[in-house]
């Protein structure tokens, strides 16, 4: 990677307010619609946590036409050096790229566009200290992943394609980076072999949705719904900040999906 700075060192983020239509967001399993007021409150609390850990947050307006547009992680990738406009695979989400493009052009000197015709969603991208892992999934295909490797090369990032185990929405649905050498994983992700070179902390059985945590500087944001995970991570020396995800989780959200995070050099 171009820098020896920890890859979880951030000072900037983009989020998008939930639209009323968020209640119609995509989901793999019906747990009932999320409550709009509940999602709004969770989103506001999420932004407040980001600000409390030193992040300058750009809050974008809601987009009624795109129920899942609160999940800004999926239509783009951001780094200190550049942003990349991706191409979501879910048909109802394809227009989100065009909506976020002008914002990225304002905030980044260099904005690349994933070449046609492949698909990549940001939830399938895990940034580690050594490389960018691109998970093939129902949302990210080989053509898109190959094109993304070429985009990343143009500003010095090396990347690697991995196979997200079948049935998992996105690569990061079941894993996150805890530090330069450690990954938080579900048992299924541990057994996939993807993280064989890493130290792994395996989630307690029954708390798998806690896998999508976010390391930001010294803090580790983890869903409040998983007390055994919080205890485990706390016990391992991480500075855990619990964040509520009860409503947003009903449309398959973890924590990373609601923001784009990067270190902006002033
Ligand atoms: C979707 O299915 O696209 C949304 N309901 C959830 C997206 C979650 N995105 C992410 O974890 N990066």
């Amino acid at each position: 990677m171009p820098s020896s700075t920890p890859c979880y060192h951030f000072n900037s983020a983009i989020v998008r307010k939930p639209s009323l239509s968020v209640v119609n967001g995509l989901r793999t399993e019906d747990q009932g619609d999320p409550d709009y007021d509940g999602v709004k409150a969770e989103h506001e609390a999420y932004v407040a946590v980001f600000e409390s850990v030193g992040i300058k947050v750009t809050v974008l307006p809601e987009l009624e036409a795109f129920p899942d547009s609160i999940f800004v992680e999926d239509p783009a990738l951001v780094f200190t050096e550049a942003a990349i406009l991706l191409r979501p695979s879910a048909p109802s989400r394809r227009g989100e790229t065009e909506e976020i493009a002008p914002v990225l052009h304002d905030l980044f000197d260099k904005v690349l566009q994933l070449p046609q015709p492949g698909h990549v969603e940001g939830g399938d991208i895990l940034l580690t200290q050594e490389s960018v892992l691109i998970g093939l999934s129902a949302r990210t295909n080989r053509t898109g992943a190959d094109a993304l490797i070429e985009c990343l090369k143009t500003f010095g990032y090396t990347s690697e394609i991995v196979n997200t185990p079948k049935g998992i929405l996105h690569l990061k649905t079941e894993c996150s980076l805890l530090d330069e050498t450690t990954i938080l994983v579900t048992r299924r992700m541990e057994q996939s072999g993807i993280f064989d070179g890493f130290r792994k902390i395996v989630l307690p059985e029954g708390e798998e949705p806690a896998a999508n945590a976010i390391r930001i500087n010294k803090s580790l944001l983890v869903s409040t719904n998983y007390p055994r995970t919080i205890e485990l991570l706390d016990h391992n020396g991480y500075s855990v900040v619990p964040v509520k995800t009860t409503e947003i989780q009903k449309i398959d959200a973890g924590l990373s999906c609601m923001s784009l995070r990067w270190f902006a050099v002033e």
Side-chain angles (χ1 to χ4, degrees), residues 25-27 68 71 73-74 90 93 121-123 139 169-170 173 212 251-254 256-257:
L26 297 172
R27 63 209 77 180
D68 288 289
F71 305 125
E73 178 177 68
D74 293 318
R93 303 202 57 189
E121 295 192 2
R139 300 285 186 93
L169 175 63
H170 287 127
T173 305
N212 186 267
I251 49 171
D252 296 341
S256 72
C257 49

Side-chain angles (χ1 to χ4, degrees), residues 123 168-175 186 189 208-212 252:
I168 299 180
L169 175 63
H170 287 127
L171 176 68
K172 278 187 299 194
T173 305
E174 295 206 6
C175 64
T186 59
M189 205 51 108
E208 288 75 11
N212 186 267
D252 296 341

Side-chain angles (χ1 to χ4, degrees), residues 147-194:
L148 180 58
I149 289 178
E150 294 309 312
C151 287
L152 289 164
K153 266 189 205 161
T154 66
F155 54 99
Y157 280 70
T158 54
S159 49
E160 196 183 322
I161 296 178
V162 299
N163 286 305
T164 307
K166 287 235 166 345
I168 299 180
L169 175 63
H170 287 127
L171 176 68
K172 278 187 299 194
T173 305
E174 295 206 6
C175 64
S176 18
L177 183 89
L178 294 181
D179 57 42
E180 287 87 332
T181 54
T182 316
I183 309 281
L184 178 65
V185 283
T186 59
R187 182 69 66 195
R188 173 157 69 158
M189 205 51 108
E190 183 207 22
Q191 288 167 350
S192 71
I194 294 174

Side-chain angles (χ1 to χ4, degrees), residues 200-217:
K200 294 177 278 298
I201 295 185
V202 181
L203 285 146
E205 212 185 311
E207 295 208 347
E208 288 75 11
N212 186 267
I214 322 179
R215 176 75 194 259
I216 299 182
N217 306 330

